[in-house]
Amino acid sequence: MAPSPRFFVAPNSTLRAIGGLSYATGVKSTGEVGQALVRPLIIVESPAKARTIQKLFHSKVKVEASMGHVRDLPRSRLGVDESDNFAPKYVTIRGKGEILKKLRERARKARQVYLATDPDREGEAISWHLAHLLGFEPHRAVRIEFREVTREAIERAIDHPRPIDEQLVEAQQARRILDRLVGYKLSPLLWRKVRRGLSAGRVQSVALRLVGDREAAIEAHVPEEYWTLLAYLEGGLVARYWGTGGKRVILRERRQVDGLLADLKGTALEVEAVRKSRRRRSPPAPFITSSLQQEAFRRLGFPVRKTMRVAQQLYEGLELGDEGSSGLVTYMRTDSTRVAEVARERARQYVTGRFGSEWVGSPAAERRGSRVQGAHEAIRPTDVFREPDAVAPHLAPEQARLYRLIWERFVASQMAPAEFELTAVHLKAGGHAFRASGSVVTFAGFTSVYRPAERTAAPDTSDPAALAAARVGQKVAVTRLEDQRHVTVPPARYTEASLVKELEELGIGRPSTYAPTIDTIVQRGYVANEDRSLRPTELGLRVLALLKEYFPEIVDPGFTAGLEERLDGVEAGKFSATDVLKSFYEPFQATLERAEREIGGMEVPDEVTDIACEQCGKPMVVKYSRFGKFLGCSGFPECRASRPYFEAAGVNCPECGAEVVSRRSRKGRRFYGCSRYPDCTFTTWRRPVARDCPECGAFLVEARDRQAGPYLACVREECGHREYVEADTPDG
């Protein structure tokens, strides 16, 4: 690894606390003692965070932003010396020269400089590079950390500066070098063998593997038919057929259903047993990065990158009217559910004041594991008494929605469990068994603040009063029997949220990598993000097949997860970064050389359409760009005509009867509109379903209710028709 930078900090310096901040007086470079108080300089990454801190402390400090990384490996070459223990060759990032010049000038005038970059590996590395470029020694206490941008948190950090953590920096460097070796060695091979402009990365290749394997499972799925039988009983009970002769039976064939209907005709069901039990549902833990991304996607419809962008704004600080500037949430890149004791106590006070002491829960077990960084905290509001309704007028709508989600989840995590009474009624008729069940809430607990998403009552849900009134030996008349046919469905394609969940469970990537990983595989054209689902493209499948054949370790989730563990071990001092890099690189280099010899050129044919080019008449083909699909002339480069790509939605416009197509708004959001636009201006944000509304004949669209879950609705809002969706899986 590169040697630690050397820099000068005046020795024999003393610190004096004034107004809650520590100011340094010390030895000038000339040897004279400086008596005047000079404002400390705090260097952060983001201009928004710098503005917030400056407003919090006014003229007591000077705050400057580095605008992210200031040094990195060069973009035009490998930048790693493989013969010298993989020593990195850093260069100043283009455009950062003026920023560094300004920071040097500010640092010379300040007696104390605090490096306050983000509290993670990347932030530690940025501080390390800043120390080198500004002439500071990292073993001196110049590094400060805070996980919330509030005056109290920053003052505590300034009171406890520390040296730069060199093991943390070494871990970041090892990860960066490993990713550079994979990307800069493997990507050129793809350029030569498949298509220029492609790339392959350590984490993105596994993400592509997951998406590709899921698509293969979908294509291999063979639908299976099964049936359910419901008995609607007098008094409001609805019972579902369970089995015959004391054995569980899943109805696989129509003849089984017909036999049951014949046996049950004209009979009543007898209550055999009534079983009551109590259940407790514990509150969810406060958010970590991955769970926030998943829940924001599911509840708010936010893509992963949007969630992180808005969370960053809430963390860095916003103007709150008379209250001034403040960060609203703690640092949003974390894998720990730990909550600081001060924050926990404030939450207990809030819950007690609003609901009562019996609503306060006991501290939940923290999320532990080898990958969890123990010093981190969960994502939570910086002040639990700052309620969402109070700050909403000062926030953009998307900021207010995400803040409410974080606030509600945190408050709920500190509350008592919800309690339910479950009633199960077992019924029988001629050896056939039925079950009716339901539950009622006896104590709302945390669900009074944060209610887990639940589907609305289905048509086969029994009346709670009827369940409570059921008695053993009671005979209940059957008002009607209803059989329902179902077909098993293939596994769903990954969404951004479910892919993040899978990557996290497999131990691949870390909180800061999920969003850029998904962005990369989409922008490279390996995966298409269609209707909130990730589908591999033909190009992506070709690249994946090549990687599976020649670089199985690169796309193997287990191998990649093990490598992540070893990289984490570098931070903990368990492994040498050089040993980890060597153990990976030597077999990787040998595989590269073999692949270069054996792989021939691979052509990925363009998808030809039946649309003729308006300029030359040749057929248009489907192309990919960082903005998604478009149509280009197959005569390229002689003809450079292009046009937007619209996919048919499979339904007709309810206003003029023309075909409805999929479009993109200026902000990239998918919507559906008439293909005769602008002559016909019909549009809808909801995805069409190739089924007619039974009320008015227009097509149905997919919709989702926060509590009720998914349903189908008529595209004509004035019609109002709704159909709730039941999962097509056999009863367990």
Side-chain angles (χ1 to χ4, degrees):
M1 309 306 294
S4 300
R6 303 289 299 171
F7 66 95
F8 175 79
V9 169
N12 305 320
S13 62
T14 60
L15 294 176
R16 295 200 305 168
I18 296 180
L21 284 170
S22 298
Y23 292 79
T25 61
V27 180
K28 291 183 178 180
S29 58
T30 60
E32 298 176 1
V33 177
Q35 299 296 331
L37 294 175
V38 181
R39 287 191 300 173
L41 172 65
I42 299 177
I43 300 177
V44 297
E45 293 174 66
S46 158
K49 191 195 297 186
R51 288 192 295 270
T52 299
I53 297 173
Q54 193 69 73
K55 290 176 181 177
L56 286 172
F57 293 99
H58 303 291
S59 60
K60 291 183 178 180
V61 299
K62 182 63 181 174
V63 190
E64 295 289 351
S66 70
M67 307 293 288
H69 280 273
V70 291
R71 286 201 312 176
D72 198 3
L73 299 173
R75 296 187 64 180
S76 58
R77 59 185 188 278
L78 182 64
V80 177
D81 191 342
E82 301 142 281
S83 62
D84 185 18
N85 292 327
F86 304 97
K89 300 178 181 179
Y90 292 113
V91 297
T92 300
I93 296 173
R94 180 175 296 180
K96 293 299 179 76
E98 287 300 315
I99 294 173
L100 285 170
K101 180 180 178 181
K102 181 179 180 181
L103 292 177
R104 289 190 184 100
E105 291 175 354
R106 298 291 191 192
R108 279 196 297 268
K109 295 176 182 178
R111 290 297 177 83
Q112 185 69 27
V113 178
Y114 295 110
L115 303 177
T117 48
D118 287 345
D120 55 18
R121 291 190 189 102
E122 291 298 317
E124 201 74 15
I126 293 173
S127 283
W128 187 86
H129 287 296
L130 283 169
H132 179 79
L133 294 169
L134 298 179
F136 300 157
E137 290 183 356
H139 68 270
R140 299 299 296 270
V142 294
R143 177 80 165 107
I144 62 173
E145 276 188 311
F146 44 84
R147 289 176 172 78
E148 54 187 85
V149 185
T150 61
R151 185 183 181 94
E152 295 77 14
I154 297 169
E155 286 179 345
R156 285 195 301 269
I158 290 176
D159 286 340
H160 299 89
R162 62 167 176 81
I164 289 174
D165 187 331
E166 303 240 2
Q167 283 189 332
L168 203 59
V169 175
E170 187 177 10
Q172 189 275 341
Q173 285 194 143
R175 192 176 298 272
R176 183 77 181 93
I177 292 167
L178 184 61
D179 289 341
R180 174 57 65 100
L181 291 171
V182 173
Y184 274 55
K185 292 286 187 175
L186 190 50
S187 296
L189 178 71
L190 296 179
W191 297 354
R192 291 189 292 273
K193 303 298 184 180
V194 184
R195 179 185 294 173
R196 285 196 62 82
L198 301 182
S199 72
R202 185 174 57 88
V203 177
Q204 75 183 59
S205 297
V206 178
L208 175 60
R209 164 77 179 267
L210 295 174
V211 175
D213 286 356
R214 177 61 60 87
E215 194 70 17
I218 292 171
E219 293 178 356
H221 174 75
V222 178
E224 294 182 6
E225 184 180 76
Y226 68 98
W227 299 76
T228 57
L229 180 63
L230 301 178
Y232 290 84
L233 310 176
E234 284 185 344
L237 281 178
V238 183
R240 184 184 290 260
Y241 171 74
W242 183 85
T244 299
K247 294 183 179 180
R248 181 77 174 95
V249 176
I250 295 178
L251 304 173
R252 300 289 187 186
E253 299 178 357
R254 174 76 232 187
R255 63 180 181 83
Q256 293 176 283
V257 179
D258 291 340
L260 280 170
L261 292 173
D263 288 349
L264 295 168
K265 186 175 181 180
T267 64
L269 296 185
E270 180 182 345
V271 177
E272 185 178 22
V274 178
R275 296 175 181 171
K276 294 183 181 291
S277 60
R278 290 189 175 274
R279 298 282 177 85
R280 288 160 60 93
R281 177 184 289 175
S282 297
F287 284 127
I288 59 176
T289 301
S290 58
S291 59
L292 175 63
Q293 292 171 346
Q294 294 163 42
E295 196 74 346
F297 182 89
R298 189 171 65 86
R299 287 180 178 253
L300 308 180
F302 286 6
V304 169
R305 178 162 290 280
K306 179 176 181 178
T307 297
M308 297 309 291
R309 172 176 58 80
V310 178
Q312 181 91 27
Q313 295 165 357
L314 296 173
Y315 163 69
E316 291 178 343
L318 298 161
E319 284 284 349
L320 302 177
D322 295 338
E323 189 179 343
S325 295
S326 179
L328 292 175
V329 303
T330 53
Y331 193 53
M332 64 287 162
R333 294 186 180 92
T334 177
D335 51 11
S336 172
T337 59
R338 188 181 71 86
V339 175
E341 190 55 42
V342 173
R344 192 186 300 279
E345 183 56 35
R346 292 275 288 172
R348 293 170 68 89
Q349 293 171 6
Y350 176 85
V351 173
T352 300
R354 181 174 174 184
F355 298 101
S357 58
E358 68 275 17
W359 295 73
V360 177
S362 57
E366 295 174 9
R367 182 175 184 265
R368 297 188 180 277
S370 59
R371 300 193 303 269
V372 176
Q373 301 178 63
H376 284 188
E377 256 200 275
I379 304 170
R380 59 168 177 82
T382 56
D383 184 356
V384 72
F385 284 89
R386 192 180 280 131
E387 295 180 323
D389 288 340
V391 300
H394 308 291
L395 307 181
E398 59 189 18
Q399 295 169 343
R401 295 175 71 197
L402 190 63
Y403 178 72
R404 179 180 296 278
L405 186 65
I406 294 170
W407 185 91
E408 289 178 348
R409 176 79 166 230
F410 172 68
V411 173
S413 73
Q414 306 304 306
M415 295 179 68
E419 298 178 5
F420 303 84
E421 182 179 78
L422 280 67
T423 302
V425 179
H426 295 205
L427 304 104
K428 64 179 181 178
H432 302 302
F434 284 75
R435 298 284 189 269
S437 61
S439 64
V440 293
V441 178
T442 57
F443 178 67
F446 76 92
T447 62
S448 58
V449 172
Y450 183 87
R451 186 179 297 276
E454 296 176 340
R455 293 173 55 184
T456 190
D460 61 336
T461 300
S462 295
D463 182 352
L467 288 168
R471 296 291 181 268
V472 175
Q474 175 185 2
K475 290 185 180 271
V476 190
V478 178
T479 59
R480 67 185 173 96
L481 293 169
E482 180 181 295
D483 57 90
Q484 299 176 346
R485 177 182 177 273
H486 308 271
V487 177
T488 59
V489 296
R493 288 190 174 112
Y494 283 109
T495 64
E496 289 190 7
S498 60
L499 182 58
V500 166
K501 182 180 181 181
E502 186 75 6
L503 290 170
E504 184 199 24
E505 290 179 349
L506 292 172
I508 296 165
R510 291 300 179 259
S512 62
T513 65
Y514 300 134
T517 295
I518 294 173
D519 276 356
T520 299
I521 59 176
V522 172
Q523 291 176 4
R524 294 295 183 186
Y526 298 157
V527 170
N529 195 340
E530 298 177 350
D531 297 317
R532 293 161 54 99
S533 297
L534 301 174
R535 179 185 62 80
T537 63
E538 181 63 28
L539 173 62
L541 293 175
R542 293 290 184 97
V543 170
L544 178 58
L546 184 149
L547 293 175
K548 280 184 174 180
E549 181 176 357
Y550 289 94
F551 301 92
E553 293 87 358
I554 295 294
V555 293
D556 177 22
F559 176 82
T560 304
L563 195 55
E564 292 279 10
E565 294 283 0
R566 299 197 71 196
L567 289 169
D568 288 344
V570 173
E571 178 182 338
K574 296 179 181 178
F575 303 114
S576 157
T578 301
D579 290 344
V580 172
L581 292 170
K582 277 185 177 179
S583 66
F584 169 82
Y585 184 68
E586 290 174 357
F588 174 67
Q589 182 65 25
T591 304
L592 269 175
E593 293 170 359
R594 180 176 71 89
E596 189 67 54
R597 293 191 305 268
E598 297 180 5
I599 300 176
M602 295 175 60
E603 278 294 323
V604 181
D606 292 320
E607 179 185 343
V608 181
T609 71
D610 56 2
I611 301 173
C613 174
E614 295 177 351
Q615 295 186 15
C616 69
K618 292 182 178 179
M620 305 289 278
V621 295
V622 178
K623 299 283 188 180
Y624 293 88
S625 75
R626 59 189 296 258
F627 302 105
K629 291 182 180 180
F630 69 97
L631 295 179
C633 182
S634 58
F636 181 87
E638 289 79 15
C639 178
R640 296 179 175 270
S642 65
R643 57 185 292 185
Y645 177 85
F646 297 136
E647 292 183 357
V651 295
N652 295 327
C653 175
E655 296 184 5
C656 71
E659 189 175 47
V660 173
V661 296
S662 170
R663 298 176 180 267
R664 293 279 184 179
S665 69
R666 291 182 179 179
K667 293 185 177 180
R669 183 181 175 188
R670 184 182 295 274
F671 70 97
Y672 301 87
C674 182
S675 58
R676 293 184 59 245
Y677 177 85
D679 296 328
C680 178
T681 58
F682 165 79
T683 60
T684 178
W685 291 109
R686 294 174 171 178
R687 182 181 183 181
V689 176
R691 280 182 54 192
D692 292 339
C693 172
E695 303 290 336
C696 69
F699 61 84
L700 299 180
V701 293
E702 294 179 353
R704 175 177 288 273
D705 183 89
R706 180 172 179 177
Q707 302 301 333
Y711 64 92
L712 301 180
C714 180
V715 70
R716 297 182 187 272
E717 293 186 5
E718 60 272 20
C719 172
H721 175 75
R722 285 190 176 193
E723 299 178 12
Y724 283 94
V725 180
E726 181 177 4
D728 283 337
T729 54
D731 298 344

